[in-house]
Amino acid sequence: MEFFGIDWTQKHILKTNTKLVCTSDDDEIKPNELRQEVEPWLSAIFQSEHLSVLIGSGLTSSVSFMAGVKPQEMWRLTLNHDLNEKIKEKAEKSAVEMNRGEANIEDDIRVALELINGLKIIDDARATTLGTELNSKLKDFISSILSTEKDFFEKLSKEEEGAVKAFNLLKSFILSFTSRSASRERLNLFTTNYDRFIELACDETGVLLLDRFKGKIQPIFRNTRLELDYHYNPPGIRGEPRYAEGVSRITKLHGSIDWCFQKDKIIKTLLPFGAEDNHPSIPQNITDQVVIYPNSSKDLETAFYPYAELFRDFSSSICQPNSVIISYGYGFGDSHINRVIEDMLTIPSTHLVIIAWDRDYSTDDEAPNYGSGRDRIIKFLEDKNSAQCTLLIGSHFGDLENLVEHYLPKSAIDRLTVKMQKIKDNRGQDKATEVEGDKEQKPEA
């Protein structure tokens, strides 16, 4: 398959406005040369009027592998119930219908929840037994997320080399986007992850996050998205307060392991990063209380509280002129998210940057096979405008270390470089250097 002038069977794919690289030869990838094209292009994109970043599970996996920590696995849900096979069968069928590829635990959870609600309608006793077992499996799911957080935090506390390196790269990754000028609209961070790696990195780097939760002792999810912000008054200067730098908005589209229903409210619990799975902030009735939202089935979940509020934030943030969204570690497997991005791209001045890591799982005797992630990306892009899309796809470009070290802009450094160049221009230093160079090149009479 070929469109955008791209051979999609190649291992590494790079496409900017002026550069196109498609190759399966690792030796053809020369980061120092490509950086001269990619980094300025991304720097320009990152200064767009409206900037959003969509982060999927690929970021957590990348950080975990580098730190030597077992990442949260998206294994299949196995229930000791007579309806287990029916649940798996329906989950696999719905995953195919939504172009997600292979089903995972999120598909199983969603189907099981729908089945429980159906059994309750007909007063079937199996609703109770199935609900009890699903609650136990959901506790295991949350425990696996907390286990990844805990193992990473322990290695980081011991200053193990892999964990320190991974965390520094994560912080640099976040700062590449959050170091926007305070005069521009705040960065919007969107994530489908249930874990808190992004929040941990932001806390460490001093990035202030704004979300829908208000309050300190028991933050409560608010229906109204108040446009609160951070300002400061410079000493000795009168006039309007200035916007503080390093402030971003964050929206967790599928919820979080530290969000819980409490009667008719949603609160953010005091669940520490990497807490034990028996922490008192984890409720017993996980099925009905913990706010984690698997992928949608024909938008069923997005119609209910607080899905509608979260996705309104997503839509209103990106569907406007001069808007850019960068996706990293997101596999384009959620139809409701994809549809909002498609709506955004109907505005000519918008732009999509896809950064995705994938692997060639084939043997030497087989045709290249990069998994369902690339298939979903291809399907999403088929009818899109090439000029509105920048692509960095493959194990080289999607590798967090390569991405941070070679391709993502260093915003703070860029600002200092620009100021230095302006000072040189004002002093005429560059012109003087050129004149001296010309004198040296002129032959003596």
Side-chain angles (χ1 to χ4, degrees):
M1 178 178 294
E2 184 172 331
F3 60 94
F4 288 6
I6 293 173
D7 180 0
W8 290 94
T9 65
Q10 299 299 304
K11 184 177 181 181
H12 308 293
I13 296 172
L14 167 68
K15 176 196 169 297
T16 64
N17 65 327
T18 59
K19 191 75 173 179
L20 178 62
V21 175
C22 303
T23 180
S24 288
D25 187 353
D26 292 347
D27 293 335
E28 287 189 18
I29 301 294
K30 295 178 173 55
N32 292 332
E33 294 180 8
L34 292 178
R35 175 179 171 80
Q36 298 176 14
E37 293 281 345
V38 177
E39 193 271 344
W41 175 241
L42 291 181
S43 295
I45 288 176
F46 286 12
Q47 291 307 314
S48 297
E49 187 175 355
H50 309 290
L51 180 65
S52 301
V53 181
L54 174 61
I55 297 174
S57 59
L59 179 63
T60 300
S61 297
S62 181
V63 172
S64 300
F65 280 124
M66 192 176 300
V69 172
K70 183 180 179 182
Q72 170 204 335
E73 295 181 358
M74 300 303 286
W75 29 264
R76 296 298 302 274
L77 185 68
T78 302
L79 301 169
N80 296 320
H81 198 281
D82 60 350
L83 294 172
N84 180 62
E85 292 304 317
K86 287 289 185 181
I87 292 172
K88 282 192 173 183
E89 180 182 336
K90 179 61 178 177
E92 291 166 358
K93 182 179 178 181
S94 63
V96 172
E97 290 174 349
M98 292 187 290
N99 298 310
R100 287 177 46 80
E102 296 180 357
N104 58 30
I105 188 173
E106 291 185 331
D107 298 283
D108 295 330
I109 291 173
R110 172 178 42 77
V111 171
L113 288 171
E114 292 175 357
L115 180 56
I116 289 171
N117 289 331
L119 292 173
K120 286 180 178 178
I121 291 174
I122 61 174
D123 294 324
D124 193 315
R126 289 178 295 179
T128 301
T129 57
L130 183 58
T132 300
E133 189 170 1
L134 179 60
N135 190 72
S136 175
K137 295 298 182 180
L138 281 176
K139 183 173 178 60
D140 293 340
F141 182 56
I142 290 177
S143 295
S144 71
I145 298 173
L146 287 172
S147 177
T148 300
E149 291 186 353
K150 180 183 177 182
D151 292 345
F152 177 82
F153 197 68
E154 287 179 350
K155 287 180 177 289
L156 189 62
S157 300
K158 295 176 182 177
E159 297 185 351
E160 293 189 13
E161 183 178 355
V164 172
K165 179 181 179 180
F167 195 46
N168 286 336
L169 288 172
L170 176 60
K171 291 187 291 184
S172 296
F173 175 85
I174 295 295
L175 284 174
S176 294
F177 304 103
T178 56
S179 298
R180 279 164 63 82
S181 171
S183 60
R184 296 186 180 275
E185 187 198 46
R186 297 304 193 186
L187 169 74
N188 295 296
L189 282 168
F190 297 99
T191 179
T192 57
N193 297 346
Y194 308 121
D195 59 63
R196 284 83 53 83
F197 277 86
I198 295 173
E199 292 94 318
L200 181 68
C202 288
D203 284 354
E204 186 68 20
T205 54
V207 174
L208 299 171
L209 293 177
L210 297 168
D211 56 17
R212 278 180 172 268
F213 288 88
K214 301 296 180 290
K216 296 297 183 183
I217 296 178
Q218 190 178 77
I220 299 175
F221 185 92
R222 299 298 183 187
N223 293 335
T224 304
R225 185 185 181 184
L226 299 175
E227 294 299 327
L228 299 179
D229 212 320
Y230 287 91
H231 302 75
Y232 70 98
N233 293 311
I237 298 178
R238 295 182 179 180
E240 293 295 326
R242 296 185 182 180
Y243 283 96
E245 293 188 359
V247 178
S248 301
R249 304 187 186 280
I250 186 169
T251 302
K252 307 192 77 168
L253 296 170
H254 286 179
S256 181
I257 57 173
D258 57 358
W259 295 9
C260 283
F261 285 106
Q262 189 179 83
K263 296 182 179 179
D264 59 343
K265 299 177 181 178
I266 295 177
I267 65 169
K268 185 185 293 184
T269 65
L270 302 178
L271 182 66
F273 185 89
E276 299 290 342
D277 56 12
N278 59 353
H279 193 278
S281 293
I282 302 176
Q284 294 299 315
N285 191 0
I286 292 175
T287 307
D288 293 331
Q289 289 183 274
V290 177
V291 185
I292 57 174
Y293 298 112
N295 56 83
S296 72
S297 174
K298 298 180 182 178
D299 302 319
L300 176 64
E301 286 88 354
T302 55
F304 294 100
Y305 178 75
Y307 285 127
E309 285 77 8
L310 297 173
F311 277 88
R312 269 199 297 268
D313 290 349
F314 183 50
S315 178
S316 62
S317 295
I318 74 170
C319 293
Q320 49 188 327
N322 302 311
S323 180
V324 170
I325 185 167
I326 299 103
S327 71
Y328 180 76
Y330 170 66
F332 285 82
D334 293 290
S335 57
H336 49 302
I337 293 177
N338 295 349
R339 187 155 47 253
V340 176
I341 299 176
E342 286 178 340
D343 288 344
M344 180 198 82
L345 291 174
T346 61
I347 305 172
S349 60
T350 58
H351 199 86
L352 168 66
V353 180
I354 299 177
I355 307 173
W357 183 94
D358 54 8
R359 182 191 296 272
D360 183 1
Y361 295 100
S362 68
T363 65
D364 294 338
D365 298 330
E366 296 177 345
N369 175 19
Y370 296 97
S372 57
R374 180 171 294 200
D375 292 338
R376 292 194 295 267
I377 292 174
I378 291 173
K379 187 172 182 62
F380 178 83
L381 291 174
E382 277 179 333
D383 58 347
K384 304 302 183 293
N385 179 10
S386 173
Q388 289 181 273
C389 301
T390 293
L391 308 175
L392 289 88
I393 298 175
S395 57
H396 172 79
F397 298 111
D399 179 82
L400 187 61
E401 184 174 4
N402 289 337
L403 189 64
V404 170
E405 295 296 332
H406 299 296
Y407 303 114
L408 290 182
K410 309 292 189 296
S411 301
I413 297 176
D414 285 346
R415 286 198 296 270
L416 293 176
T417 303
V418 170
K419 289 181 179 178
M420 180 186 71
Q421 188 61 46
K422 285 183 178 179
I423 292 173
K424 283 186 175 183
D425 291 343
N426 292 336
R427 293 177 178 176
Q429 288 183 359
D430 286 351
K431 293 180 180 180
T433 302
E434 290 175 6
V435 171
E436 290 296 328
D438 290 341
K439 287 181 179 180
E440 292 176 1
Q441 293 175 6
K442 287 181 180 180
E444 294 184 0

